[in-house]
Amino acid sequence: MDIVYTIWLRNMKRYIRSRSRIIGSIAMPLFFLLFLGFGLNSVVQLSGIGGNYVAFLIPGMVAMSVLFTSVFSGIQIIWDKQFGFLKETLVAPVSRLEIMVGQTLGGATTAVLQGSMILVLSVFIGFWISSPVGFLIALGFMILIGISFTAFGIAIASRMEDMTGFQLIMNFVVFPLFGLSGALFPISSLPAWVRPVTLLDPLTYGVEGIRYGLTGVSQINPLVCGAVIGSFTIVMTVLGAFLFRKIRL
Amino acid sequence: MTVAIHIENLTRRFNNLVAVDNISFDIEHGEIFGLLGPNGAGKTTTLSMLSTMLKPTSGSATVNGIDIERDEDGVRKSIGIVFQDQSLDEELTAWENMDFHGRLYRIPSDIRKQRITELLRLVELEDRQHDIVKTFSGGMRRRLEIARGLLHHPSVLFLDEPTLGLDPQTRNHLWQYIASLAREKGITIILTTHYMEEADRLCSRVAIIDHGKIIALDTPQNLKDGIGGDVVTIRSPDPAAVIATLTEPWITRAEQHNDEVIVSLQQAEQHISTIVTLLNTHRVPIQSLAIHKPTLEDVFLSFTGKTIREEEADHKTNMRMYQRMVRH
Ligand SMILES: Nc1ncnc2c1ncn2[C@@H]1O[C@H](COP(=O)(O)OP(=O)(O)OP(=O)(O)O)[C@@H](O)[C@H]1O
Ligand SMILES: [Mg+2]
């Protein structure tokens, strides 16, 4: 555990020092929330899921900020590769699994912190969280999204030589995952043929889980959400650990 | 004296390229051992294998009696390494970089703090210890990396090009420091370099490595003595004539090298006037003439027929051709 803590600690120190990154990754969800949310609030009438559009959007924005921060944290391993720091870690008498787990928990922690900031900001603009238990449920889902997508980032980074592939991954994997997840609009409002696709997106279950926790309403049973995102987390962690073990410098 | 490192027929291939070619030698405990060679000679590859970062293609080696393939963690615990390329976290402070390392090597908190303070003082970074590494100069970073490599008290320290790109003053400083480490702490040090002077000044023994092979291994003094006395370099438009003229028995060797002739002989000062007279009588034109004590550069030249700088130029040309081939 002390090695895991050491790696985690380094991630935290770097996170706290990177003010521009913190602000940068809050900016986009906040922008969506303010312009999309309030812009469409009076236009869009959501049938059947209570609340207004802003209340619907907030869980999606929390998920978004957790998603982007965690993928980014995982992919940062590439920088450690390029700036040589990964060598220092890998030549130490510690197992790669410990390093990978530390990195994953570090990434997940920063991601959850970023997501929580969106949540706090939402409370300031008048959003009501359904209940303390609901908050804990949402937090649980945020943690699972954070862990799974940091591990996903580490898996990608283990196979990439430099940052040139990063845009590709963002455009063809991360944005589609986000777009299909029902973070921006209810799944039920989609055309029938798109719906199965959204149900294949693991993030959908994360978003719906957070939404259940924060608003008390969701379109997918929260237990199903928990089972799917939980399994996805395990698969990603195993995959990330496997690929990280095979890194050659 | 006990053996710190034992290397037997160690070989590493990258596809068709044999980067390290069947090398064998022992390094004694407490030695400063130099691996001297041009770019691409296989120095880093050798260190990577010894530090368990790279698997050998064939052959074996032990570090402190521990087999590098059978017990990676055992080897890792007993070595420290300063990589050729920087490996610090630039966003952390000097202290935090040290602390991270200490925790990775599971050094208990109180000992860790004490050693970090000591080592940062030793490399004269104590007044910058809480500054972010990004603000450090190349020399400061290098000193920090060396301090970090020593934090867990390794009995063997690998230094890959420790003074590459540093100014002469910092380099001198580091040399003194490395020498005192071996002397006072009894640490075995293996360093790679392509600076002849560094190998000469610092190392108890030097292995000259070229194209993955060890072509000579001895103390710097013995290597230089092997040249056969002093070195006289004669520059002339007709080098062949110079060689043909210099047939005196006291001349150990005369070889053409570009438009120069490199002559080895004992007591060059006493014979220099005779050489000039001989060349004048035979009407061989001379542009310039220089005497110097042999250096490792001369040793390298005598073994490979090239200066280390020409080797490097060749290597770069090859690399460029290779890259061109890959691109098309
Ligand atoms: N990962 C690799 N893949 C392919 N070839 C490699 C790899 N690492 C090294 N080589 C090749 O092996 C040879 C030896 O490289 P090495 O880095 O050991 O040389 P070196 O003596 O350390 O040189 P330098 O003084 O430039 O550091 C070179 O020709 C290099 O191109
Ligand atoms: Mg090298």
Side-chain angles (χ1 to χ4, degrees):
Chain A
M1 271 328 276
D2 42 354
I3 302 302
V4 172
Y5 171 70
T6 302
I7 311 278
W8 178 87
L9 188 65
R10 168 186 177 239
N11 274 277
M12 288 305 108
K13 284 185 175 154
R14 286 179 65 103
Y15 169 69
I16 290 164
R17 263 163 226 176
S18 61
R19 264 186 218 109
S20 60
R21 223 183 90 207
I22 298 176
I23 292 165
S25 56
I26 291 182
M28 190 153 67
L30 203 61
F31 178 84
F32 269 12
L33 202 57
L34 294 178
F35 290 86
L36 208 58
F38 289 111
L40 294 178
N41 206 22
S42 48
V43 186
V44 182
Q45 269 308 315
L46 296 174
S47 51
I49 50 168
N52 52 14
Y53 184 59
V54 175
F56 173 84
L57 196 57
I58 284 169
M61 292 305 100
V62 171
M64 175 187 190
S65 119
V66 176
L67 169 76
F68 282 83
T69 313
S70 53
V71 171
F72 198 73
S73 302
I75 282 199
Q76 273 203 326
I77 297 250
I78 294 180
W79 271 299
D80 284 348
K81 242 192 234 183
Q82 282 185 324
F83 288 108
F85 189 73
L86 192 58
K87 268 190 204 158
E88 146 79 359
T89 320
L90 294 186
V91 82
V94 299
S95 78
R96 295 222 174 161
L97 185 63
E98 289 170 296
I99 302 171
M100 190 273 174
V101 171
Q103 196 70 30
T104 307
L105 293 182
T109 309
T110 55
V112 170
L113 285 174
Q114 291 288 110
S116 307
M117 276 186 232
I118 297 294
L119 204 52
V120 169
L121 289 171
S122 317
V123 172
F124 275 114
I125 57 172
F127 177 69
W128 278 102
I129 299 170
S130 63
S131 70
V133 177
F135 171 75
L136 290 180
I137 293 175
L139 192 65
F141 278 99
M142 285 158 69
I143 292 172
L144 289 177
I145 298 176
I147 293 177
S148 54
F149 281 98
T150 308
F152 167 81
I154 292 175
I156 301 279
S158 304
R159 299 306 302 268
M160 283 195 335
E161 286 299 314
D162 50 43
M163 289 304 284
T164 49
F166 179 64
Q167 274 306 320
L168 221 60
I169 298 291
M170 286 313 269
N171 291 336
F172 289 94
V173 184
V174 180
F175 278 110
L177 280 177
F178 170 67
L180 287 170
S181 69
L184 298 173
F185 36 73
I187 306 169
S188 57
S189 68
L190 290 170
W193 63 271
V194 187
R195 238 177 274 171
V197 185
T198 67
L199 293 180
L200 283 178
D201 179 352
L203 189 64
T204 304
Y205 301 88
V207 171
E208 283 293 297
I210 296 178
R211 190 166 284 140
Y212 175 79
L214 295 182
T215 65
V217 203
S218 69
Q219 293 181 287
I220 302 175
N221 183 325
L223 291 177
V224 175
C225 292
V228 173
I229 196 80
S231 319
F232 179 66
T233 304
I234 293 170
V235 171
M236 279 300 129
T237 309
V238 170
L239 181 72
F242 175 75
L243 293 178
F244 186 75
R245 251 180 69 123
K246 302 212 319 184
I247 289 190
R248 282 270 152 235
L249 290 174
Chain B
M1 282 271 178
T2 50
V3 171
I5 293 183
H6 173 73
I7 301 175
E8 214 171 292
N9 304 325
L10 200 62
T11 300
R12 171 69 205 206
R13 283 173 204 277
F14 293 109
N15 302 321
N16 289 328
L17 179 98
V18 189
V20 173
D21 193 356
N22 202 31
I23 61 172
S24 303
F25 54 87
D26 284 355
I27 298 173
E28 303 285 321
H29 200 80
E31 250 192 306
I32 301 184
F33 188 92
L35 271 177
L36 175 68
N39 286 142
K43 305 181 294 291
T44 300
T45 307
T46 305
L47 290 201
S48 297
M49 288 190 284
L50 293 177
S51 60
T52 76
M53 294 298 276
L54 192 68
K55 291 245 176 279
T57 309
S58 62
S60 64
T62 62
V63 175
N64 292 315
I66 310 165
D67 190 289
I68 55 166
E69 285 194 274
R70 265 182 235 135
D71 182 7
E72 289 191 354
D73 267 8
V75 172
R76 290 172 180 200
K77 273 179 202 143
S78 68
I79 63 166
I81 183 163
V82 175
F83 297 103
Q84 179 167 354
D85 304 316
Q86 189 200 297
S87 63
L88 297 164
D89 186 336
E90 299 197 350
E91 306 287 335
L92 299 186
T93 66
W95 179 281
E96 287 167 340
N97 267 286
M98 296 288 279
D99 187 62
F100 178 84
H101 185 91
R103 288 170 185 268
L104 272 193
Y105 285 76
R106 299 188 168 91
I107 305 171
S109 162
D110 44 340
I111 303 178
R112 192 168 70 227
K113 286 200 186 97
Q114 185 198 333
R115 281 195 199 162
I116 294 176
T117 311
E118 258 171 44
L119 281 166
L120 287 178
R121 189 174 310 138
L122 192 68
V123 296
E124 293 168 35
L125 285 175
E126 76 264 45
D127 47 341
R128 296 292 302 270
Q129 61 188 6
H130 296 304
D131 291 352
I132 304 259
V133 170
K134 213 188 253 172
T135 65
F136 281 19
S137 71
M140 293 163 73
R141 288 169 194 226
R142 216 57 184 151
R143 297 203 307 265
L144 178 58
E145 286 184 306
I146 294 180
R148 185 179 67 178
L150 291 168
L151 187 59
H152 55 286
H153 284 183
S155 60
V156 174
L157 182 64
F158 296 102
L159 302 172
D160 199 353
E161 313 260 4
T163 65
L164 189 68
L166 300 183
D167 61 86
Q169 196 191 338
T170 314
R171 179 174 299 161
N172 247 306
H173 195 92
L174 266 180
W175 284 348
Q176 285 169 14
Y177 179 60
I178 292 168
S180 74
L181 272 179
R183 209 171 39 234
E184 285 156 25
K185 304 211 176 199
I187 297 176
T188 310
I189 296 173
I190 296 99
L191 64 87
T192 76
T193 180
H194 53 231
Y195 294 124
M196 301 291 174
E197 199 197 340
E198 183 162 284
D200 201 353
R201 279 264 313 265
L202 215 49
C203 299
S204 50
R205 285 193 306 152
V206 173
I208 296 181
I209 181 168
D210 189 29
H211 296 297
K213 291 196 180 71
I214 303 288
I215 52 176
L217 194 166
D218 213 327
T219 63
Q221 196 54 52
N222 285 350
L223 286 171
K224 288 184 289 186
D225 288 348
I227 291 282
D230 302 332
V231 179
V232 174
T233 309
I234 304 167
R235 187 183 286 269
S236 159
D238 190 358
V242 176
I243 294 177
T245 313
L246 298 177
T247 53
E248 299 298 309
W250 37 263
I251 288 180
T252 342
R253 179 162 42 191
E255 277 165 9
Q256 181 180 345
H257 189 73
N258 296 337
D259 57 348
E260 290 177 349
V261 176
I262 314 267
V263 183
S264 306
L265 72 169
Q266 301 293 343
Q267 273 110 37
E269 292 87 349
Q270 291 171 23
H271 290 117
I272 197 74
S273 61
T274 323
I275 291 178
V276 175
T277 317
L278 267 174
L279 291 172
N280 276 340
T281 345
H282 289 81
R283 295 185 190 286
V284 180
I286 316 171
Q287 281 159 339
S288 70
L289 189 145
I291 311 178
H292 66 263
K293 294 282 165 201
T295 63
L296 289 178
E297 180 76 68
D298 298 305
V299 177
F300 189 82
L301 180 63
S302 79
F303 276 106
T304 64
K306 285 181 175 178
T307 63
I308 206 163
R309 215 162 290 119
E310 286 168 337
E311 270 290 347
E312 302 200 329
D314 272 12
H315 182 71
K316 280 191 195 114
T317 323
N318 286 340
M319 289 296 287
R320 239 174 269 136
M321 277 169 55
Y322 177 71
Q323 280 166 359
R324 223 172 284 147
M325 271 158 44
V326 171
R327 243 177 253 141
H328 293 294

